[in-house]
Amino acid sequence: MHTYRRTGGTTCQRPRATARRRMGTALLALGAAGALLLTGCSASGDGGNSSSYDRGQGGGKADGFPAPAPEGTGTGEQRGEQGKEDSRDIAPSPDYLSTFALDVDTASYGYARRTLADGSLPDPSTVRPEEFVNSFRQDYERPDGDGFSVTVDGARTKDENWSLVRVGLATRAAEGDSKRPPAALTFVIDVSGSMAEPGRLDLAQDALRTMTNRLRDDDSVAIVTFSDEAETVLPMTRLDDNRGEIREAVDSLEPTDSTNLAAGVETGYETAVEGLRKGATNRVVLLSDALANTGSTDAETILERIASERRAHGITLFGVGVGSDYGDALMEQLADQGDGHTTYVATEEEAEEVFCEELPRHIDLTARDAKAQVSFDPATVEEFRLIGYDNRQVADEDFRDDRVDGGEVGPGHTVTALYVVRSKKGTDGGHLATATVRWLDPDTRTPHEESAGLEASALHDDLWDASPYGLQVAAVAAYFADSLRQQDSLWTDLPASPTLRELSYRAETLARDREDKDLYDLADAIEKADEMLT
């Protein structure tokens, strides 16, 4: 069992994990296929544009506290031994920085709900708190142009001197379908024998048929299938007058043989390069249960085969998984190391929501290699812990090293990071933290930064009564994920952790306040978990 460490100690270390992307597990299921990827559905436009947004080069001071140190002045020597323990511990001394790659995945939460609905508790290794938190819409102020706005707030908890601090990052609202660039989508579809299970290949085919009807005439689609071998069923084809041909290709898909996922990904990228369109969004959409049993079965080897295509042409990978049993770890690694994202759906209703709102945001990009760094003020902060992002961490000194991998983020996204923070006794005032986000322009690769800070006096007095609605939602989601991970003895409770019964009550209260179906679903999932654990 790992315990919390004070920042004044010397025994706790955090992982260095520079270019490593979250190699943990993931869920990615939604075989429903990036189908409506750019469908006529328009992404939600929650949040307005920020009038104070300035997409300049950061690096100055924010609210009287220094922003993260420039490259080359970080804590390289102090972190030399790091990487031996997980980030679940409190940050080590004398490091008051927390650095991680951004993540917009939500698959972990979706798969956990599916598992609970089926009457089982999710494997702790598939529970990623940041994906639970990022599954719920936040009303952050939006920037005027490409890039991010930064929001930092927080509230005190019932545990003495412990607070919950929220760092919120938002991109501009997604534009309507007519304003996006054309898409060139290569669907790599698993037709192995395991895909015969209802809710796998059939769900993907239904979604692809719908996509064929809704994509624009200037969009293009290619289809690659794989079982024991891979085959290009349809080369890159403009929608125009070819919808019938595309539907015929979709209807012809039938499950057979084993799963050579490596061959599918390799052939998919080759097809995407052959059909590459300048000025369009070129994306590979992988639809599979990822139960790879033939050929290469590890992400590193698979991605190495298509490394040149990814780097030279900027083709990103969107992972879509299906089925109650699938290769979680493999799919997660493929999407993360392939500069992509994952998601999961278990019902037609969820698929429609994903196709209409989520998937369109995964097509266009507003930021590449985006990282965040939070500086905590040693004069006011005793210790802190980032909730989740365990395999997304980046060495502090690599924050401004643009060769180090970050996260890809599109329009309409919000990214939330939660910290539990213990203040030093007698420090009700003073600066608490500064959050900085750094990203590269997706076209020019020019770096940009934006920062915001939080004063200790600005903390809301009570998390559950006085804090913003969005912070309470994020807190419920994070505490729920943390409770599910307690099945694994590697994890310790977060400070001020409510019981599952209390979390269910909080979620239902928030749901009634806003008549939010997603929160009613959250309350239901928490209640199911409570029944299984009590």
Side-chain angles (χ1 to χ4, degrees):
M1 180 80 70
H2 289 260
T3 56
Y4 294 115
R5 315 285 176 91
R6 299 169 63 90
T7 52
T10 60
T11 58
C12 173
Q13 302 291 346
R14 274 188 307 169
R16 183 179 175 100
T18 55
R20 245 185 2 180
R21 316 256 330 222
R22 236 176 27 220
M23 321 249 330
T25 59
L27 321 185
L28 140 216
L30 155 77
L36 297 177
L37 262 160
L38 282 335
T39 83
C41 308
S42 59
S44 170
D46 59 295
N49 288 336
S50 168
S51 58
S52 60
Y53 176 76
D54 176 17
R55 198 183 70 168
Q57 296 283 58
K61 292 187 177 182
D63 297 333
F65 188 66
E71 180 184 357
T73 62
T75 55
E77 289 186 5
Q78 298 160 356
R79 300 178 64 89
E81 292 295 313
Q82 293 173 7
K84 295 182 178 178
E85 295 190 31
D86 271 332
S87 63
R88 44 184 165 257
D89 292 314
I90 293 300
S93 171
D95 184 1
Y96 283 83
L97 296 176
S98 171
T99 309
F100 59 94
L102 299 198
D103 181 15
V104 296
D105 288 356
T106 60
S108 180
Y109 172 66
Y111 186 60
R113 281 188 56 219
R114 162 69 182 270
T115 304
L116 289 165
D118 287 345
S120 301
L121 290 167
D123 186 323
S125 67
T126 69
V127 176
R128 292 175 293 283
E130 70 275 15
E131 296 187 26
F132 279 56
V133 171
N134 286 325
S135 293
F136 299 94
R137 188 171 301 150
Q138 296 284 341
D139 296 327
Y140 300 132
E141 197 170 19
R142 299 279 182 178
D144 290 332
D146 285 348
F148 295 88
S149 62
V150 183
T151 300
V152 188
D153 60 11
R156 304 183 190 279
T157 72
K158 64 181 181 181
D159 283 11
E160 184 178 6
N161 298 323
W162 282 101
S163 300
L164 197 67
V165 171
R166 176 178 64 160
V167 175
L169 309 171
T171 57
R172 60 174 168 79
E175 297 178 321
D177 185 65
S178 62
K179 296 183 179 180
R180 64 168 174 79
L185 308 174
T186 301
F187 289 89
V188 179
I189 303 172
D190 186 345
V191 292
S192 62
S194 58
M195 292 292 288
E197 176 188 298
R200 297 194 184 197
L201 181 58
D202 58 339
L203 181 61
Q205 287 175 301
D206 286 343
L208 288 167
R209 293 185 190 102
T210 304
M211 173 204 69
T212 301
N213 294 330
R214 298 195 183 185
L215 286 178
R216 296 187 332 214
D217 286 346
D218 61 345
D219 292 327
S220 300
V221 170
I223 297 177
V224 171
T225 62
F226 67 94
S227 52
D228 56 341
E229 296 180 346
E231 176 187 4
T232 300
V233 175
L234 181 76
M236 193 63 70
T237 304
R238 293 277 187 121
L239 271 292
D240 287 328
D241 298 324
N242 300 312
R243 284 179 167 81
E245 180 183 356
I246 296 171
R247 276 191 290 267
E248 287 179 8
V250 172
D251 292 340
S252 70
L253 304 181
E254 294 182 356
T256 179
D257 298 328
S258 54
T259 308
N260 191 339
L261 192 147
V265 172
E266 188 172 5
T267 303
Y269 270 85
E270 290 174 356
T271 303
V273 170
E274 289 172 2
L276 194 73
R277 291 180 57 188
K278 291 187 177 180
T281 300
N282 295 275
R283 175 68 57 94
V284 169
V285 182
L286 174 63
L287 310 172
S288 176
D289 58 17
L291 300 176
N293 52 29
T294 302
S296 299
T297 59
D298 67 281
E300 293 278 4
T301 303
I302 294 172
L303 288 171
E304 185 60 32
R305 292 184 179 182
I306 48 92
S308 60
E309 286 87 351
R310 289 191 296 123
R311 293 165 186 158
H313 304 292
I315 300 173
T316 53
L317 179 67
F318 191 92
V320 185
V322 289
S324 56
D325 180 26
Y326 73 99
D328 174 74
L330 176 58
M331 289 293 274
E332 178 71 4
Q333 293 174 40
L334 281 173
D336 285 342
Q337 295 181 55
D339 295 334
H341 311 103
T342 66
T343 192
Y344 181 93
V345 298
T347 66
E348 291 182 8
E349 183 179 10
E350 290 174 357
E352 182 178 351
E353 179 180 350
V354 167
F355 294 145
C356 291
E357 297 183 19
E358 182 179 340
L359 289 182
R361 295 200 295 264
H362 286 296
I363 293 301
D364 200 8
L365 284 179
T366 57
R368 283 190 181 273
D369 290 323
K371 311 184 195 87
Q373 187 168 83
V374 182
S375 306
F376 290 93
D377 192 333
T380 58
V381 173
E382 184 76 18
E383 52 187 330
F384 65 90
R385 173 181 171 186
L386 173 61
I387 304 175
Y389 295 92
D390 302 299
N391 296 308
R392 301 289 282 173
Q393 294 194 33
V394 174
D396 295 337
E397 62 268 28
D398 288 336
F399 177 60
R400 291 190 171 90
D401 186 344
D402 297 326
R403 297 166 299 179
V404 173
D405 204 13
E408 279 62 47
V409 184
H413 278 118
T414 62
V415 178
T416 300
L418 290 179
Y419 290 85
V420 284
V421 179
R422 188 168 74 155
S423 302
K424 291 186 175 180
K425 292 183 179 179
T427 55
D428 292 335
H431 189 75
L432 195 73
T434 295
T436 301
V437 59
R438 181 181 178 88
W439 70 95
L440 303 182
D441 182 281
D443 297 320
T444 66
R445 302 281 177 160
T446 303
H448 301 278
E449 293 186 6
E450 188 68 28
S451 297
L454 176 66
E455 300 297 309
S457 59
L459 288 169
H460 296 273
D461 289 335
D462 185 272
L463 172 61
W464 302 116
D465 293 330
S467 65
Y469 169 85
L471 176 56
Q472 293 187 49
V473 170
V476 170
Y479 279 125
F480 177 38
D482 191 64
S483 295
L484 293 175
R485 292 205 297 184
Q486 296 312 309
Q487 303 167 75
D488 188 333
S489 60
L490 290 174
W491 302 98
T492 56
D493 287 333
L494 291 172
S497 292
T499 64
L500 283 171
R501 180 167 297 183
E502 181 181 351
L503 285 176
S504 179
Y505 166 77
R506 298 290 182 193
E508 192 158 346
T509 300
L510 291 166
R512 285 199 304 268
D513 181 52
R514 298 292 179 96
E515 283 301 312
D516 189 326
K517 180 186 179 302
D518 291 339
L519 288 176
Y520 279 121
D521 290 340
L522 174 61
D524 182 64
I526 297 173
E527 185 177 352
K528 284 183 171 65
D530 188 33
E531 292 171 355
M532 295 178 204
L533 289 169
T534 55

